[in-house]
């Protein structure tokens, strides 16, 4: 009886330690270079929001925001429904808006387990007083796609990604 | 009252936009601190100016596994985005020499972001941007109309920077600061307009993109970046932005942005694949942004700050002046056609109207029918018997704003009945053309054969007492008795300085109750013989003016005691060593000329005193002739000793005296007529005549001079510039 008790105790401790360890252990991630090339439009700089989309098609995480003036964020309506509720801290992952014809390279970080598991990356674009594209560019994250070039459908001419 | 079109637009523009301008200025003042606070950050590396672009690029490439981009901002801070060998990424300020990471880029302060947004668009997005741009343009127009007003006030482009006469605090500083901050404000407004217009895509967008022939790209011969011919001798400070190749593909390239062009460079061979020159629009945009924000220059930011603070002051002082002006409105009890007394007012700021209203009130109180109007409204007055013109002078002897057309109207409009007129000129002796317009009006009225009731009367610095004197003269001439109430003229003496009484003679020793007074300023004070001393016997608006002489640094006065005379009795009651507070009024028109061959001085009674000082100071021994008019030989004892000394020393060439109460009654003007050849010769050789004393004597002297000129077939008006006077 005493022995059984002892075993149970150790097992519980082991499970506890393991589970705590696994929580503190950061999932493996990779940094990617991501180049966004804009088409030649006229007007204000474009806001571009890069999001991780889960296999169900819902927003999972905001990866990067080009455009640092938060008073315009609610114009990016689909993303705003996700982000606007919680307003998590974006400071480390914001850059400036991208002007027509220009391009920008930003660094985004994606958990390795999101690649090849049905997750998608979405590029949403909006320009003040002009159109808003919910899916300017969107593609599934695969080992192939994370080092490819994908054409945009709105303000983006193309997006290129490269793991570091 | 009518105000000139420029002033009207200046005001109308200001009224219509001041709320926006106020907001923009307040936020602008705060924003001026943004570039200043940025620049004092310690991210600039010494030695930056000697660095070449390729040095920095290669040091970054060597140090980090990946470099994404490099940027050099207006403050010469270098920011970059890199991957470290450990797989982490760094973004922030770097040392361009060692490629060491210095620090995170601080976030744009939420506060400045908030203020910038308010400044740019009032949180109203496009509509707000439009209004801010429009108001910037209105402020530009306000600046232009303000410049025109200053030009008119100062009397021309060349006099733009001459001294401004201090009429009131708001007015003086509005003009002085307006002039000083003119250029920065024009720059702020024009760049502001440009930046707003740019947001509305008014300028032709000339967006070119790089056309690269990827078929022709070669990866050889491979060169080290330090050997790229295109980067040879390119300073890092000339570069704005470097984008590193995205990958090792030969199709990926360097994009280097310079101040006026963007180059695409093959990452292996250094070959230039494409060049885009910045269109003029971009260059202008960048310049506008720099000039408008002060980015990159603490000095310019500071100038912008000062100019913007001044805009706030202009809003305040402009409205202060307007409200003051609006306080002077003309209201009439009687119509123009049933009034016998017509008072016409010429005024720039409405100050003269105060006097007109006081006179009107008193006349109505005495049962007269009076009509007050602006000079520009001159028309037929069916019952006119007496015309009174009260006018100031604007700029260099020009008509004030509401009198500009009067002289023309006077020629066109003829009254149906005879009447008489009197002109009173208001002005300040600190202007060179004291009351000139009043004299012009007087002359034109005379030319129309209208009867002159009184010669033109001048009033310095809105002196109520001078006005009172004139009212007494005038009411006597029209046969009534008026006493003007001083209620409307509450002014307290200002700018007075203390004097000590050095000596004083007894009036009893002089047959004309005249005494001499010597004062010593307690502090250092600048004054010259011929200036005026204003005293305030009751320490209120009552002001009395006396001509002064400067002898050995002391101030000499000659005062005739009148029965009940406020000023003269006040001075007579002074005892030696007592203190007196008074103000010196510069009277530049009556200073002893520095460059002339001969001066003729004509004075009577107490009017001899300034000449005493001038003669004392005539160390250059300019040929000077003094004509004095006194009543008796004994009366002249007051000046005799000094004048004898001057004659002996050569400061005075010749003295001639006229005694009006001795055996042979001679007036000083008779002496002039007697010496007509000498006088004529003096005038023809550009000698100067100075006249000081009573107005009656002045009129007599002028008549005599006119006769002399006529006898020589000349016109006295051709010699006006040689005749200086200070008469009362």
């Amino acid at each position: 009886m005493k022995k059984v008790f002892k075993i149970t105790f150790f097992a519980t401790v082991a499970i506890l330690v393991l589970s705590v360890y696994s929580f503190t252990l950061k999932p493996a991630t990779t940094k990617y270079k991501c180049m966004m090339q804009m088409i030649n439009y006229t007007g204000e700089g474009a806001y571009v929001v890069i999001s991780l989309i889960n296999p169900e098609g819902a927003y999972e995480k905001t990866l990067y925001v080009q455009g640092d003036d938060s008073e315009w964020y609610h114009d990016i309506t689909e993303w705003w429904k996700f982000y606007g509720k919680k307003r998590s801290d974006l400071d480390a992952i914001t850059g400036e808006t991208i002007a027509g014809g220009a391009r920008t390279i930003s660094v985004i970080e994606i958990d390795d387990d999101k690649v090849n598991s049905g997750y998608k990356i979405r590029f949403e674009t909006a320009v003040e007083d002009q159109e808003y594209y919910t899916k300017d560019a969107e593609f599934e994250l695969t080992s192939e796609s994370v080092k490819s070039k994908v054409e945009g459908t709105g303000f983006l001419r193309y997006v290129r990604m490269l793991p570091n | 009252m009518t105000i000139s079109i420029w002033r009207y637009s200046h005001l109308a523009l200001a009224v219509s936009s001041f709320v926006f301008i106020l907001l923009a200025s307040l936020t602008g003042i705060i924003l001026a601190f943004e570039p200043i606070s940025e620049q004092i950050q310690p991210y600039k590396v010494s030695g930056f100016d000697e660095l070449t672009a390729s040095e920095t690029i290669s040091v970054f490439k060597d140090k980090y596994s990946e470099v994404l981009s490099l940027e050099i901002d207006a403050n010469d801070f270098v920011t970059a985005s890199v991957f470290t060998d450990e797989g982490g990424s760094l973004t922030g300020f770097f040392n361009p020499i060692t490629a060491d990471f210095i620090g995170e880029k601080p976030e744009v302060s939420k506060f400045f972001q908030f203020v910038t947004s308010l400044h740019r668009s009032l949180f109203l997005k496009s509509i707000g941007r439009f209004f801010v741009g429009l108001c910037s343009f209105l402020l530009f127009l306000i600046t232009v109309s303000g410049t025109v007003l200053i030009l008119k006030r100062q009397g021309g482009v060349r006099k733009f920077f001459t001294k401004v006469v201090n009429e009131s605090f708001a007015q003086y500083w509005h003009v002085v600061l307006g002039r000083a901050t003119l250029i920065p404000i024009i720059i702020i407004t024009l760049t502001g307009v440009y930046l707003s217009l740019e947001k509305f895509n008014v300028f032709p967008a000339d967006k070119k993109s790089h056309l690269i022939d990827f078929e022709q790209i070669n990866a050889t011969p491979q060169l080290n970046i330090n050997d790229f011919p295109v980067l040879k001798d390119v300073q890092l400070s000339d570069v704005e932005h470097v984008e590193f190749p995205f990958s090792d593909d030969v199709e990926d390239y360097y994009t280097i942005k310079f101040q006026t062009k963007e180059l695409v460079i093959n990452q292996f061979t250094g070959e230039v694949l494409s060049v885009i020159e910045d269109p003029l629009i971009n260059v202008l945009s960048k310049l506008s942004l720099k000039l408008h924000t002060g980015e990159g220059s603490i000095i310019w930011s500071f100038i912008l700050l000062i100019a913007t603070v001044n805009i706030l002051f202009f809003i305040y002082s402009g409205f202060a002046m307007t409200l003051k002006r609006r306080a002077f409105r003309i209201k009439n009890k009687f119509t123009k056609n049933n009034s016998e007394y017509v008072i016409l007012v010429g005024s720039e700021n409405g100050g003269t109207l105060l006097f007109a209203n006081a006179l009107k009130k008193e006349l109505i109180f005495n049962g007269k029918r009076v009509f007050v109007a602006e000079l520009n409204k001159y028309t037929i007055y069916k019952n006119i018997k007496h015309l009174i013109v009260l006018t100031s002078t604007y700029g260099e002897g020009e008509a004030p704003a509401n009198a500009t057309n009067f002289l023309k109207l006077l020629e066109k409009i003829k009254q149906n009945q005879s009447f008489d007129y009197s002109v009173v000129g208001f002005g300040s002796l600190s202007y060179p053309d004291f009351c000139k317009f009043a004299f012009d009006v007087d002359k034109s009225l005379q030319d129309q054969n209208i009867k002159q009731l009184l010669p033109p009367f001048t009033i310095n610095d809105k002196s109520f007492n001078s006005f009172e004197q004139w009212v007494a003269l005038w009411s006597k001439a029209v046969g009534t008795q008026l006493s003007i109430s001083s209620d409307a003229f509450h002014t307290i003496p200002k700018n007075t300085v203390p004097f000590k009484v050095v000596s004083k003679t007894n009036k009893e020793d002089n047959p004309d109750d005249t005494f001499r007074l010597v004062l010593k300023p307690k502090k250092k004070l600048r004054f010259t013989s011929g200036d005026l001393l204003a005293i305030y016997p009751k320490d209120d608006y009552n002001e009395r003016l006396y001509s002064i002489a400067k002898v050995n640094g002391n101030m000499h006065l000659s005062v005739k005691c009148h029965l009940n005379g406020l000023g003269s009795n006040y001075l007579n009651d002074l005892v030696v060593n007592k203190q007196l507070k008074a103000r010196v009024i510069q009277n530049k028109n009556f200073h002893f000329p520095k460059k002339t061959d001969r001066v003729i001085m004509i004075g009577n009674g107490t009017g001899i005193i300034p000449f005493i000082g001038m003669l004392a100071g005539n160390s250059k021994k300019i040929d000077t002739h003094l004509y004095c008019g006194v009543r008796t030989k004994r009366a002249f004892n007051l000046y005799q000793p000094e004048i004898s000394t001057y004659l002996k020393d050569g400061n005075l060439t010749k003295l001639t005296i006229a005694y009006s109460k001795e055996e042979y009654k001679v007036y000083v003007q008779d002496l002039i007529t007697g010496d007509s050849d000498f006088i004529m010769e003096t005038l023809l050789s550009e000698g100067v005549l100075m006249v000081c004393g009573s107005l009656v004597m002045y009129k007599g002297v002028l008549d005599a001079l006119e006769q002399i000129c006529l006898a020589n077939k000349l016109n006295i008006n051709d010699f006006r510039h040689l005749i200086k006077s200070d008469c009362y």
Side-chain angles (χ1 to χ4, degrees):
Chain A
M1 192 62 195
K2 215 178 178 184
K3 207 178 176 183
V4 174
F5 195 79
K6 223 175 186 175
I7 292 167
T8 332
F9 175 76
F10 274 112
T12 323
V13 169
I15 289 167
L16 264 172
V17 167
L18 250 170
S19 61
V20 167
Y21 186 68
S22 68
F23 272 118
T24 51
L25 193 76
K26 258 183 126 187
T29 64
T30 302
K31 284 188 169 147
Y32 297 84
K33 284 197 283 182
C34 176
M35 181 203 277
M36 288 159 275
Q37 171 69 53
M38 312 305 285
I39 59 164
N40 278 332
Y41 71 91
T42 53
E44 294 290 310
Y47 280 75
V48 183
V49 177
I50 310 174
S51 312
L52 185 68
I53 306 291
N54 63 24
E56 287 74 46
Y59 287 90
E60 171 103 0
K61 191 182 176 193
T62 304
L63 298 174
Y64 211 88
V65 181
Q66 297 289 162
D68 50 9
D69 195 350
S70 54
E71 72 170 300
W72 299 91
Y73 283 177
H74 63 267
D75 283 356
I76 309 158
T77 44
E78 283 305 312
W79 171 69
W80 180 253
K81 286 181 201 160
F82 161 73
Y83 169 75
K85 276 180 252 167
K86 282 185 275 176
R87 316 254 177 119
S88 52
D89 185 17
L90 297 177
D91 284 348
I93 48 166
T94 45
E96 283 167 24
T97 55
I98 317 172
R103 64 187 200 180
T104 296
I105 301 170
S106 23
V107 180
I108 58 176
E109 198 170 349
I110 301 173
D111 298 347
D112 290 345
D113 59 4
K114 301 294 190 295
V115 182
N116 297 325
S117 52
Y119 281 83
K120 285 179 177 172
I121 187 164
R122 176 182 290 178
F123 295 81
E124 225 163 318
T125 58
V127 172
E128 187 184 336
D129 296 330
Q130 295 188 43
E131 283 90 331
Y132 158 60
Y133 298 99
T134 316
K135 296 178 186 176
D136 197 323
E138 187 179 271
F139 52 91
E140 202 176 319
L141 290 167
T142 63
S143 318
E144 275 311 302
S145 73
V146 293
K147 44 188 165 185
S148 71
K149 176 174 163 185
V150 176
E151 305 282 320
T153 57
F155 294 112
L156 286 167
R157 170 161 292 138
Y158 61 81
V159 174
R160 272 178 77 185
M161 279 181 71
L162 206 63
N164 190 44
Chain B
M1 58 195 292
T2 42
I3 31 183
S4 69
I5 181 80
W6 287 106
R7 170 161 293 155
Y8 186 76
S9 9
H10 194 66
L11 178 65
L13 289 164
V15 169
S16 56
S17 59
F18 86 94
V19 177
F20 288 107
I21 293 176
L22 187 71
L23 251 171
S25 311
L26 284 171
T27 48
I29 288 170
I30 298 169
L31 291 176
F33 288 100
E34 196 184 2
I36 296 178
S37 71
E38 269 176 19
Q39 277 213 59
I40 54 175
Q41 303 288 326
Y43 299 118
K44 177 157 180 179
V45 174
S46 63
F48 172 88
D49 296 317
E50 286 90 54
L51 273 178
T52 64
S54 53
E55 275 169 354
T56 301
I57 293 172
S58 54
V59 86
F60 268 85
K61 264 174 73 90
D62 292 347
K63 183 152 185 142
Y64 299 104
S65 65
E66 277 279 352
V67 187
L68 300 187
S69 62
L70 220 143
E71 203 172 331
I72 295 94
D73 71 9
N75 305 314
D76 293 340
F77 300 162
V78 176
T79 51
S81 183
V82 301
F83 284 119
T84 57
D85 289 332
E86 296 79 40
S89 71
L90 283 173
T91 304
F93 293 113
F94 284 78
N95 181 325
I97 300 170
T98 61
D100 286 334
F101 181 70
I102 310 179
E104 293 268 341
K105 203 173 174 175
E107 259 201 85
V108 185
S109 132
K110 285 270 183 284
F111 174 68
F112 279 135
Q113 226 173 36
F114 170 87
V115 179
T116 307
S117 177
L118 182 62
H119 184 79
R120 250 189 221 159
S121 63
L122 315 162
F123 300 123
L124 296 172
K125 296 187 181 173
S126 295
I127 301 169
R129 277 202 168 133
F130 172 77
F131 272 110
V132 171
L134 178 70
C135 284
S136 188
F137 183 63
L138 291 181
L139 184 57
F140 170 69
L141 293 182
I142 292 172
T143 317
V144 171
S145 54
T147 310
V148 175
L149 286 172
I150 297 179
L151 282 175
K152 291 198 156 189
R153 163 186 290 273
Q154 300 296 93
V157 179
R158 258 182 272 162
K159 291 184 178 140
F160 189 72
F161 285 106
T162 53
K163 197 168 165 272
V164 178
V165 177
N166 192 344
E167 286 162 27
S168 71
F169 171 80
Q171 171 270 345
Y172 179 75
W173 289 106
H174 200 87
V175 175
V176 170
L177 295 176
R179 215 166 50 173
T181 53
L182 182 65
I183 306 223
I185 292 180
I186 287 186
I187 291 176
I188 292 175
T189 52
L190 287 182
T191 51
V193 172
Y194 184 91
L195 292 172
S196 297
L197 284 178
E198 200 184 46
K199 297 289 174 202
F200 289 97
N201 303 324
V202 223
F203 302 112
D206 184 13
K207 282 249 168 69
K208 287 190 209 132
S209 44
H210 291 288
L211 287 175
I212 298 158
D213 189 353
F214 288 107
E215 306 295 313
Q216 302 292 323
I217 285 186
N218 295 313
T220 51
Q222 198 163 341
L223 287 178
N224 187 304
I225 186 144
N226 280 318
D227 302 325
F228 283 8
V230 65
L231 290 180
K232 214 171 173 138
D233 302 328
V234 171
Q235 297 292 305
L236 184 63
S237 50
D238 294 334
V239 175
E240 284 184 349
H241 187 251
V242 180
E243 195 187 292
F244 286 72
F246 188 69
S247 73
D248 293 337
D249 286 354
V250 73
E251 283 88 6
D252 282 321
Y253 42 75
Y254 283 103
T255 310
I256 302 186
K257 176 81 187 71
F258 293 91
Q259 252 124 45
T260 55
K261 61 182 176 186
E262 190 175 86
L263 298 186
V264 169
I265 299 168
N266 184 312
Q267 62 168 313
F268 298 115
T269 65
E271 185 194 348
V272 178
L273 301 173
S274 166
V275 180
I276 294 180
E277 297 281 343
D278 272 4
L280 183 65
I281 298 292
N282 289 17
V283 178
L284 281 178
S285 302
K286 245 189 258 171
L287 187 70
S288 292
L289 195 71
K290 262 194 168 167
L291 288 175
H292 196 85
T293 58
E295 185 187 80
S297 162
I298 291 195
I299 297 167
W300 183 244
S301 306
F302 198 70
I303 294 175
L304 293 178
L305 173 69
I306 305 246
T308 319
V309 172
N310 273 315
I311 295 176
L312 287 186
F313 174 75
F314 297 145
I315 296 175
Y316 156 75
S317 54
F319 279 111
M321 277 190 280
T322 307
L323 291 177
K324 201 175 144 203
R325 251 182 230 127
R326 282 180 63 86
F328 308 108
R329 281 257 174 105
I330 298 181
K331 291 188 198 105
N332 277 306
K333 192 175 171 189
F334 300 98
T335 65
K336 66 183 173 76
N337 283 332
N338 64 19
S339 298
E340 290 143 8
Y341 294 81
V342 174
I343 305 174
L344 294 180
V345 182
S347 177
E348 188 69 24
N349 297 321
T352 311
L353 195 59
L354 208 66
F355 292 88
N357 283 335
L359 179 61
K360 176 183 78 174
K361 202 173 152 198
E362 184 59 24
L363 280 167
I364 290 175
F365 182 75
N366 280 279
K368 314 288 185 199
R369 284 182 307 227
V370 194
F371 184 75
V372 180
E374 296 168 29
L375 276 165
N376 270 348
K377 301 267 170 74
Y378 184 70
T379 177
I380 301 277
Y381 305 103
K382 283 184 182 160
N383 270 308
I384 187 168
K385 285 205 177 86
H386 307 285
L387 173 70
I388 301 129
V389 177
L390 308 179
T391 184
S392 61
T393 298
Y394 189 58
E396 298 222 301
E398 279 149 50
N402 66 352
T404 44
N405 288 327
F406 175 69
L407 296 181
K408 275 185 214 150
L409 289 173
L410 190 64
E411 275 175 31
K412 258 192 274 169
I413 298 165
K414 305 280 174 230
Q415 306 293 343
N416 299 321
Q417 63 190 107
S418 64
F419 61 101
D420 61 54
Y421 78 88
S422 314
V423 176
V424 182
F426 291 81
S428 165
L429 283 169
S430 39
Y431 271 110
D433 298 278
F434 180 56
C435 292
K436 181 166 179 301
F437 183 66
F439 289 107
D440 291 348
V441 169
D442 180 75
K443 195 172 169 299
S444 306
L445 285 161
Q446 226 167 26
D447 291 347
Q448 298 289 319
N449 289 322
I450 301 165
K451 189 188 158 205
Q452 186 195 50
L453 189 65
L454 289 177
F457 189 92
T458 56
I459 291 175
N460 177 40
D461 281 348
K462 296 174 185 165
S463 157
F464 173 68
N465 291 104
S466 306
F467 187 61
E468 215 176 14
Q469 277 172 32
W470 174 81
V471 170
L473 286 173
W474 180 80
S475 55
K476 206 171 140 197
V478 293
T480 60
Q481 226 182 352
L482 302 175
S483 61
I484 293 290
S485 149
S486 63
D487 293 352
F489 304 89
H490 283 301
T491 45
I492 319 147
K494 52 179 187 179
N495 303 331
T496 57
V497 289
F499 292 87
K500 196 180 85 176
V501 179
V502 175
S503 66
K504 189 181 151 289
T505 64
N506 286 322
K507 65 166 183 168
E508 288 77 18
D509 298 343
N510 180 285
D512 296 330
D513 291 335
T514 304
F515 63 92
R516 297 246 330 238
L517 180 68
V518 181
L519 303 172
K520 188 183 181 63
K522 286 196 158 180
K523 291 174 196 156
K524 212 176 161 209
L525 182 72
R526 270 179 61 180
F527 66 95
T528 310
S529 298
D531 284 344
L532 300 170
L533 186 73
I535 61 159
Y536 303 91
K538 292 183 166 173
D539 205 27
D540 60 4
Y541 61 85
N542 281 292
E543 181 187 83
R544 292 292 185 272
L545 300 179
Y546 293 90
S547 295
I548 52 176
K550 185 181 186 179
V551 182
N552 297 329
N554 283 345
M555 187 183 279
H556 287 238
L557 276 74
S558 177
V559 184
K560 186 182 164 84
C561 226
H562 298 274
L563 195 67
N564 301 328
L566 186 64
S568 55
N569 283 306
Y570 171 76
L571 291 176
N572 191 36
D573 290 343
L574 290 172
V575 288
V576 172
N577 283 333
K578 235 196 122 186
Q579 184 176 300
L580 161 81
K581 290 196 107 186
R583 176 169 71 103
V584 171
I585 300 172
Q586 266 208 355
N587 189 6
K588 276 190 185 156
N589 286 328
F590 201 67
H591 288 172
F592 191 71
K594 283 179 187 135
K595 286 178 202 156
T596 186
D597 292 335
R598 186 184 291 158
V599 181
I600 293 179
M601 296 170 162
I602 305 160
N604 75 339
T606 54
I608 295 169
I609 197 71
F611 298 138
I612 298 279
M614 290 177 200
L615 288 169
N618 185 18
S619 50
K620 286 198 213 156
K621 319 271 187 218
I622 292 172
D623 185 20
T624 308
H625 299 252
L626 176 61
Y627 293 85
C628 287
V630 283
R631 274 147 59 109
T632 58
K633 283 181 178 160
R634 207 157 76 87
F636 194 66
N637 287 343
L638 211 52
Y639 314 105
Q640 179 73 54
E642 284 148 301
I643 292 180
S644 299
T645 323
Y646 300 147
L647 274 170
K648 212 164 62 199
D649 295 347
N651 288 25
L652 175 62
T653 312
K654 192 175 173 232
L655 168 72
T656 319
I657 311 176
Y659 300 106
S660 60
K661 290 280 172 4
E662 293 286 353
E663 205 175 336
Y664 301 101
K665 289 184 174 39
V666 185
Y667 291 97
V668 77
Q669 50 266 44
D670 302 333
L671 298 179
I672 303 300
T673 314
D675 274 349
S676 58
D677 289 346
F678 175 69
I679 301 283
M680 199 64 242
E681 184 211 313
T682 305
L683 286 176
L684 286 170
S685 61
E686 298 275 307
V688 175
L689 256 72
M690 304 187 78
V691 190
C692 185
S694 70
L695 275 172
V696 181
M697 181 269 306
Y698 176 65
K699 209 163 177 290
V701 169
L702 274 191
D703 284 346
L705 288 174
E706 209 169 342
Q707 291 306 319
I708 295 171
C709 288
L710 277 176
N712 286 286
K713 298 197 170 63
L714 289 165
N715 189 342
I716 188 170
N717 287 329
D718 298 335
F719 302 108
R720 285 271 177 199
H721 63 286
L722 298 173
I723 304 171
K724 298 171 166 225
S725 70
D726 174 28
C727 295
Y728 35 85

